[in-house]
Amino acid sequence: MSDKTYRWLILGTSIFLAIGLGIFLGKSSSSQKNESKEQKQAQLVLTPKATLPSEDARWTFAPDVPVPIGRRDQRREIVHWTIREAQNEIAPGVIYDDAWGFEGHVPGPLLRVRVGDLVEVHLRNALNSMRTHNIDFHFVMGPGGGASALSVAPGEEAVLEARATAPGFYMFHCATPDIPMHIANGMYGFVLVEPEEGLPQVGKELYVVQSEIYTNDDKPGHKNFDMVRADKADPQYVVFNGSVGALLKDQAPVATQNESVRIYVGNAGPNLISSFHVIGQIFDKVYREGDLLSPAARSLQTTLIPAGGSAVVEFTPPVAGTFLLVDHAIFRLHHGAVGSLKVHGQENAEIFEPKTPRNMVPMSEDAHLGHGPHEITPVTKPSGDSGVHFAMSAPAPEAQPVNGVTIKMLPGSGLWKKGPMQTFGPKMVTIKAGQSVTFKNADVGMAHSVFGEKGEFASPMLAPGGTFTKQFDQKGVIHFQCAPHPWMKGAIIVK
Ligand SMILES: [Cu+2]
């Protein structure tokens, strides 16, 4: 190899290395940029305790959320809570006598602070409590999340200072043995630790906690904790905000069309994972598992929330109406896992337009409940368009059978409920051979039918107001039921 060639080779190699190094440096500096953004949180600079200004912390009971922090400095946030062993009406007429709660509430408070704040908790256990209690705060870095530091016998008070070192939406709970029992009995709440710059502003914020309640049945009266069922993860109730119906009807939160809604959803468990879903909405953003630092997941339908964890979901309802909050492990609906959000506003035909007048409520707010009268509100306005008809037999003019009896399909028949419910009325009739029975659909907004269980007769689907008459000539007993709603049963005795 000549000297010249050798020189060229050295020069070429140097240029190649220089370019390569440049690319490498460029890359590493951009990755350093990302890293530094992430590390910013880890390297939170703490203002020394002694110099922190003090203030009373902001906290609320569900479904309310304290207003955003706003300030950008660190503070000492002072909290005074008392634990009370109380009672909680977990379903209409069902009184849970083992409801132990922070400030006597189930779920316990939502405390809102900013990352870097020092939380000074004064925890008191009411003098008339029967047991020792404490708090394990999931936002706290320290043994037991503060549980032993805050362990209080009846009448005692303990104080803990703990720094909020990382943003997130965190559970807290009692961790006194038997820990699962103390959580199951209602000893939980949540802490929202805002990032340094806060969270994006939204129109409406709500605090919702899913939990299980273990009783041996759901009959009205006083109930206690059932350890056998809890051990089997077989809850009598799965509820939002402490009781069946806590977020329904008059207690349903209200939002406005096109207003952004953020729900801080906690899952206290103690056993079940939640598949949280809002019927008729798509989540614009989900801060999975309460992670407020990573980019939010987008356009989710259902999100998993671990027991002892959380999620923060956001959506913007473009259409007015009532929207149900559920655990999409959907049989839990039978156990009370349903809440609702009422969105006030107008129809928005560009997004959603029912084209056939149904006058139906597809899913009633109290579909699962065995209590109270149904409030069925027409969803669509009555249409003046005579060209649109029910695809079923048209309502017949009111005609009293001259030689027979009438059985009505009563309002609410089509919505299955736990406990006693009305279906056919009367359920049993006695007629003479040759007489007829007229079935009249007196339900609101729901079609029914009737057929003999041994094929004796069958009606078409009857729209509300529709009737079907059948003459019975043979003596005997005919058991009948409704085809779409098999729990609707009755009998005709022909003598
Ligand atoms: Cu406890």
Side-chain angles (χ1 to χ4, degrees):
M1 202 187 298
S2 77
D3 256 17
K4 216 174 178 181
T5 320
Y6 186 72
R7 247 183 266 136
W8 275 115
L9 191 66
I10 295 281
L11 186 65
T13 309
S14 318
I15 291 169
F16 176 77
L17 283 177
I19 292 169
L21 189 66
I23 290 169
F24 172 75
L25 286 175
K27 267 199 176 157
S28 76
S29 85
S30 81
S31 80
Q32 263 170 1
K33 233 181 244 169
N34 286 343
E35 239 170 293
S36 67
K37 199 175 175 189
E38 274 173 29
Q39 281 172 359
K40 202 173 149 195
Q41 215 50 72
Q43 293 167 350
L44 177 74
V45 179
L46 298 181
T47 308
K49 265 186 189 189
T51 64
L52 290 172
S54 294
E55 65 183 19
D56 287 337
R58 51 190 82 181
W59 54 266
T60 53
F61 291 122
D64 295 331
V65 175
V67 295
I69 297 295
R71 66 179 156 78
R72 295 290 174 256
D73 62 335
Q74 295 172 17
R75 300 275 171 92
R76 175 183 288 264
E77 297 290 299
I78 301 169
V79 181
H80 288 266
W81 285 337
T82 300
I83 292 161
R84 296 179 198 284
E85 296 175 0
Q87 293 176 323
N88 182 20
E89 188 171 13
I90 52 176
V94 184
I95 312 296
Y96 193 64
D97 287 337
D98 292 325
W100 310 337
F102 297 99
E103 290 289 298
H105 270 249
V106 180
L110 169 55
L111 169 68
R112 187 168 193 156
V113 298
R114 179 180 172 273
V115 68
D117 286 350
L118 184 78
V119 182
E120 179 185 311
V121 187
H122 297 246
L123 184 66
R124 173 172 282 278
N125 190 353
L127 194 57
N128 61 354
S129 290
M130 302 293 288
R131 299 155 195 86
T132 294
H133 299 289
N134 63 31
I135 298 183
D136 165 359
F137 282 106
H138 288 186
F139 83 90
V140 166
M141 303 275 272
S148 37
L150 286 172
S151 185
V152 279
E156 278 188 338
E157 181 175 313
V159 182
L160 171 71
E161 290 178 348
R163 195 72 80 143
T165 56
F169 179 49
Y170 297 97
M171 186 187 179
F172 68 84
H173 60 85
C174 182
T176 304
D178 179 73
I179 296 170
M181 179 179 174
H182 283 243
I183 297 174
N185 284 345
M187 303 201 70
Y188 48 79
F190 281 79
V191 180
L192 171 59
V193 180
E194 282 189 12
E196 287 187 293
E197 302 306 319
L199 291 167
Q201 206 185 332
V202 290
K204 175 102 194 167
E205 293 191 311
L206 294 168
Y207 167 40
V208 172
V209 182
Q210 178 172 331
S211 68
E212 302 120 47
I213 305 171
Y214 295 89
T215 59
N216 60 356
D217 63 47
D218 62 353
K219 294 193 180 73
H222 290 263
K223 301 289 157 188
N224 293 100
F225 174 70
D226 186 328
M227 183 65 92
V228 175
R229 291 190 62 174
D231 259 337
K232 289 191 289 194
D234 171 30
Q236 183 65 53
Y237 298 98
V238 181
V239 296
F240 292 123
N241 287 353
S243 63
V244 175
L247 288 172
L248 293 177
K249 300 183 178 180
D250 293 348
Q251 302 186 81
V254 175
T256 308
Q257 184 180 25
N258 294 325
E259 174 186 51
S260 49
V261 178
R262 176 185 290 147
I263 311 182
Y264 298 91
V265 194
N267 181 12
N271 285 310
L272 303 181
I273 292 167
S274 172
S275 302
F276 187 73
H277 177 77
V278 178
I279 298 174
Q281 300 294 341
I282 300 166
F283 300 138
D284 303 331
K285 286 187 188 175
V286 175
Y287 299 89
R288 285 174 161 150
E289 294 168 40
D291 169 3
L292 301 178
L293 286 180
S294 304
R298 309 299 302 265
S299 296
L300 296 194
Q301 58 197 305
T302 301
T303 193
L304 276 174
I305 311 179
S310 68
V312 180
V313 304
E314 292 179 13
F315 53 95
T316 305
V319 179
T322 296
F323 298 91
L324 300 184
L325 283 56
V326 297
D327 180 339
H328 221 298
I330 203 67
F331 267 87
R332 295 174 190 169
L333 196 66
H334 289 177
H335 297 264
V338 59
S340 68
L341 174 71
K342 292 201 163 96
V343 176
H344 288 170
Q346 291 171 352
E347 291 170 14
N348 181 353
E350 292 298 330
I351 302 288
F352 180 81
E353 184 183 23
K355 298 298 282 185
T356 310
R358 309 303 295 177
N359 207 27
M360 274 176 85
V361 178
M363 217 169 158
S364 165
E365 281 187 89
D366 56 0
H368 65 294
L369 298 175
H371 310 276
H374 285 280
E375 292 168 24
I376 298 179
T377 323
V379 166
T380 52
K381 54 183 186 289
S383 171
D385 175 11
S386 58
V388 182
H389 295 285
F390 286 101
M392 295 169 279
S393 76
E398 192 76 27
Q400 282 305 311
V402 285
N403 182 26
V405 297
T406 298
I407 297 175
K408 288 178 177 173
M409 287 90 156
L410 297 170
S413 297
L415 300 169
W416 184 86
K417 296 184 297 181
K418 277 195 137 169
M421 58 180 290
Q422 53 179 16
T423 56
F424 287 103
K427 279 189 178 183
M428 193 179 292
V429 293
T430 304
I431 58 171
K432 285 181 188 154
Q435 280 190 311
S436 62
V437 175
T438 296
F439 293 91
K440 179 176 168 63
N441 184 352
D443 199 355
V444 184
M446 202 162 278
H448 296 287
S449 73
V450 61
F451 67 92
E453 287 179 3
K454 289 182 178 159
E456 297 93 332
F457 70 100
S459 79
M461 288 296 285
L462 303 174
T467 60
F468 171 77
T469 302
K470 167 75 184 164
Q471 185 177 318
F472 296 92
D473 299 321
Q474 295 247 328
K475 291 181 181 178
V477 180
I478 299 158
H479 294 275
F480 61 84
Q481 62 167 280
C482 171
H485 310 112
W487 55 85
M488 296 174 64
K489 287 170 182 272
I492 300 165
I493 300 164
V494 187
K495 284 192 168 169

